[in-house]
């Protein structure tokens, strides 16, 4: 049986993250100038599949700087059980609006 080892490229992921993050921070002022300005409308940022609000923090900060009324996803980790969450999401939207 053959052993499956992770790719050596995985060692570079922390470095790649730091470079990407740094470049993104340097470009932030220009992105803020070009992006559509918010008018105070509420926005809920949904996390990607199997993630939670920790993953959407930078996006929520960006939208808040543009003038949107940003709210986190209130339902924990997104496990894509949309039908089960419909009612809870509707309640959250009513509370925000």
């Amino acid at each position: 049986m053959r052993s499956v080892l992770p790719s050596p490229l995985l060692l570079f992921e922390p470095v790649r993250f730091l470079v990407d993050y740094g470049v993104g921070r340097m470009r932030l002022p220009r992105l803020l100038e070009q992006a559509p300005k918010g008018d105070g409308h509420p926005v809920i940022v949904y996390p990607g599949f199997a993630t939670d609000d920790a993953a959407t923090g930078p996006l929520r900060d960006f939208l808040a700087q543009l003038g949107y009324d940003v709210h986190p996803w209130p339902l924990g980790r997104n496990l894509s059980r949309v039908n089960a969450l419909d009612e809870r999401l509707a309640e959250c939207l009513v509370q925000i609006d």
Side-chain angles (χ1 to χ4, degrees):
M1 183 169 188
R2 199 169 134 182
S3 171
V4 178
L5 296 174
S7 169
L9 293 175
L10 289 176
L11 296 172
F12 294 103
E13 282 299 307
V15 174
R16 189 181 71 86
F17 166 77
L18 291 173
V19 170
D20 288 349
Y21 181 79
V23 169
R25 294 298 292 178
M26 289 188 313
R27 294 190 63 219
L28 184 60
R30 183 165 178 160
L31 288 173
L32 285 170
E33 287 176 8
Q34 295 174 343
K37 303 296 182 244
D39 59 359
H41 276 91
V43 175
I44 293 180
V45 179
Y46 288 51
F49 177 70
T51 62
D52 57 17
D53 276 330
T56 65
L59 176 58
R60 285 184 283 128
D61 291 343
F62 180 74
L63 292 171
Q65 288 180 47
L66 288 171
Y68 293 93
D69 178 22
V70 183
H71 299 271
W73 162 269
L75 304 175
R77 189 168 299 276
N78 178 5
L79 297 176
S80 191
R81 290 177 270 164
V82 177
N83 291 338
L85 299 176
D86 282 347
E87 189 174 311
R88 291 176 60 195
L89 283 172
E91 290 173 14
C92 294
L93 291 171
V94 168
Q95 290 175 358
I96 289 171
D97 197 31

